[in-house]
Amino acid sequence: MAVSVACCGVSFVNAPAKLLQSSSALCFRASSSCKLNPEKKKYTLRVRDEHSSNDGPQPMAFKSSPFGSSQQKKDKKESQPTDLRTDPAKIHDASFLDAVVKVYCTHTAPDYSLPWQKQRQFTSTGSAFMIGDGKLLTNAHCVEHDTQVYFPLLFYFPLFFFFFLTFFLDQVKVKRRGDDRKYVAKVLVRGVDCDIALLSVESEDFWKGAEPLRFGHLPRLQDSVTVVGYPLGGDTISVTKGVVSRIEVTSYAHGSSDLLGIQIDAAINPGNSGGPAFNDQGECIGVAFQVYRSEETENIGYVIPTTVVSHFLTDYERNAKYTGYPCLGVLLQKLENPALRECLKVPTNEGVLVRRVEPTSDASKVLKEGDVIVSFDDLRVGCEGTVPFRSSERIAFRYLISQKFAGDIVELGIIRAGEPKKVQVVLRPRVHLVPYHIDGGQPSYIIIAGLVFTPLSEPLIEEECEDSIGLKLLTKARYSVARFRGEQIVILSQVLANEVNIGYEDMNNQQVLKFNGTHIRNIHHLAHLIDMCNDKYLVFEFEDNYVAVLEREASNSASLCILKDYGIPSERSADLREPYVDPVHDNEALDQGFGDSPVSNLEIGFDGLVWA
């Protein structure tokens, strides 16, 4: 068995029992966005590739101001990069090591089985590094589900007690090399799919004498790489050295996404996550974030390249939040078979076949099943689903899509029934029927007379274990696509025992399809239908013709007692108290069944199918 895991050191003193089963590494999941302060300096990242040529797509480059505050520019002259090739001993005194800090985080994850509460908190350590302007860069999984302390506490507690709470409950703290003080850090934004987070530290003492790191070009194979961080096994900074083994589109364990990654053979251990990887010139060429563990492999670590970092920062600067990576929204098949190309009237040895188009994507307006995509913004797509990359390399077609931003328009060259055409498609982030992460961090729920309804999500599946979810529901989670934006699979997650719902205890983890004859679109739609119901009975229809019927007035009375008996603060989550907005603009979408084509997180699968 092989698995890619994010490397964040975890303390299990306060960890749930299930975390003890895999103490070597964890993959935390979260999502967040934060508005950009207009008074702060804008910053972007310049990425250069000294080895690139005009034969293929180049790593992104943006106009940028150098990282670091204006005061730092005045006080310090620009230093020359440390050349570790000529003097490897310089690593001990290299100033860029001082830019690497240790991250301490207290996590309180939601309890998806009991969605009205949270799990027991636990702590972890990771790494981060300075990029200037009071900002630090780290991995998203290092600061996922960080415990929050809100300033309104000041109105309810004496000032001394508030600072007491802040001291012990501040969610994220950082410590510099050679310093015994920890400083409070604020999470500005998380990019879950690219596993990057941006932190800010307001303390001026923290930044005294600090020099932001310089970012380098995308490395070549066999280039030396030095990974710096604070892994488990000690408290001081750690340095490991290796070479670049591979550069290709890689599966990101935390974000369940496929982006450009750098594979290295330098040791990456729990706690290294968020730490920088340097080339021989002392330039940062990426961020350590995960390892590949298997009985048949060893020394396979992964680094997020600076091209992905630049995309994250530029997205945040453009939109004052992180919008995520877009997708084309089509299921593709390779065209390596000459007979298949001849049947589709493709004259050259190129192109990929469109097997299915996601209904929620903009591509559904211009692409059809049976189309062959032969070019992307005038760059030819090979029959094996790859495009030119740098001087003598090829890379997966989805790499081109990952270089775009949400809302960008691309031109596709297609062959339809033997006729070449040009079409334009707007790229949008993928809509997942079963999400991998919960926006806001807390799942939605509604409780009716002890029946607990919640949307199906990957965190819930992991928490409940696949056996208890059921094969039919797992099949929908793995192989179905959303018919419209906002669609969810709503399930009866559990039944809280009481005298009203006797006989329904064996219906746990069943999907609810209808309420009083109306198809359920999402959890908010179900809550809306219940609120608007004036019938005598509440009729819930499930898969396999299961039916649950409750008397409405008796259910309302029973709900109050159940909430009190189980210590539940509210019969529904806060988001379900907002006015309901119907997500369906085209009623034809409701007539379509759930997607019947395989869906894979990998755009290029072993069976030749690709998602783009």
Side-chain angles (χ1 to χ4, degrees), residues 286-565:
V287 185
F289 76 114
Q290 69 183 28
V291 295
Y292 184 81
R293 290 197 173 124
S294 169
E295 296 178 355
E296 301 176 353
T297 61
E298 60 183 19
N299 294 340
I300 297 181
Y302 292 95
V303 171
I304 302 173
T306 50
T307 52
V308 176
V309 175
S310 69
H311 190 284
F312 167 80
L313 295 176
T314 303
D315 187 358
Y316 179 50
E317 179 184 340
R318 285 184 180 183
N319 304 292
K321 63 179 182 180
Y322 181 70
T323 61
Y325 278 81
C327 73
L328 189 56
V330 294
L331 182 66
L332 302 175
Q333 180 179 345
K334 299 176 183 178
L335 290 183
E336 295 179 291
N337 189 320
L340 178 58
R341 292 197 303 271
E342 183 178 355
C343 178
L344 294 171
K345 301 179 181 179
V346 179
T348 57
N349 184 24
E350 61 185 3
V352 285
L353 173 65
V354 177
R355 294 190 62 249
R356 179 168 183 163
V357 184
E358 291 185 10
T360 56
S361 69
D362 285 71
S364 62
K365 302 174 184 177
V366 295
L367 293 179
K368 298 180 180 180
E369 295 178 7
D371 288 347
V372 176
I373 300 176
V374 295
S375 69
F376 183 96
D377 281 345
D378 294 327
L379 193 68
R380 310 306 292 183
V381 180
C383 63
E384 80 282 18
T386 61
V387 294
F389 178 66
R390 300 202 291 194
S391 58
S392 59
E393 302 173 70
R394 295 188 70 85
I395 198 168
F397 165 52
R398 60 189 181 275
Y399 168 76
L400 298 180
I401 303 172
S402 69
Q403 299 303 290
K404 302 294 183 178
F405 294 87
D408 284 357
I409 300 175
V410 299
E411 185 177 71
L412 301 178
I414 66 172
I415 295 178
R416 178 178 297 168
E419 296 295 328
K421 291 187 176 183
K422 293 282 188 179
V423 297
Q424 291 186 333
V425 178
V426 180
L427 300 180
R428 308 283 184 190
R430 171 166 286 122
V431 176
H432 293 282
L433 178 63
V434 178
Y436 291 93
H437 300 86
I438 304 298
D439 292 337
Q442 199 68 22
S444 303
Y445 73 91
I446 184 170
I447 302 174
I448 305 297
L451 306 182
V452 182
F453 297 96
T454 189
L456 184 66
S457 64
E458 288 294 337
L460 176 60
I461 293 174
E462 292 180 4
E463 194 168 295
E464 285 286 318
C465 299
E466 295 185 355
D467 293 340
S468 63
I469 292 295
L471 181 59
K472 183 172 290 189
L473 212 52
L474 281 175
T475 300
K476 285 189 177 182
R478 300 288 188 264
Y479 301 109
S480 297
V481 296
R483 297 169 295 176
F484 51 87
R485 292 182 179 271
E487 184 178 20
Q488 294 175 328
I489 295 179
V490 182
I491 65 170
L492 175 63
S493 64
Q494 64 176 302
V495 179
L496 305 178
N498 66 88
E499 66 277 5
V500 176
N501 57 40
I502 293 177
Y504 301 140
E505 287 80 1
D506 60 344
M507 296 177 60
N508 289 356
N509 295 325
Q510 292 285 333
Q511 181 187 358
V512 56
L513 300 177
K514 295 181 181 180
F515 173 78
N516 284 7
T518 302
H519 285 279
I520 303 302
R521 301 175 183 179
N522 51 45
I523 186 69
H524 207 161
H525 185 218
L526 175 60
H528 172 72
L529 293 176
I530 293 173
D531 293 340
M532 296 295 103
C533 179
N534 293 318
D535 297 340
K536 182 178 180 179
Y537 297 106
L538 307 178
V539 182
F540 301 90
E541 299 180 43
F542 299 84
E543 278 206 323
D544 299 327
N545 296 324
Y546 278 100
V547 178
V549 180
L550 303 176
E551 203 277 323
R552 181 171 59 86
E553 293 184 0
S555 299
N556 293 337
S557 301
S559 293
L560 297 177
C561 297
I562 293 171
L563 296 180
K564 181 179 179 181
D565 292 343

Side-chain angles (χ1 to χ4, degrees), residues 32 55 73 204 217-218 251 261 277 313 321 371 427 473 510 522 548 577 588:
S32 176
D55 296 338
K73 299 174 191 174
E204 295 182 358
H217 57 78
L218 193 67
S251 179
L313 295 176
K321 63 179 182 180
D371 288 347
L427 300 180
L473 212 52
Q510 292 285 333
N522 51 45
R577 300 190 188 101
E588 293 182 359

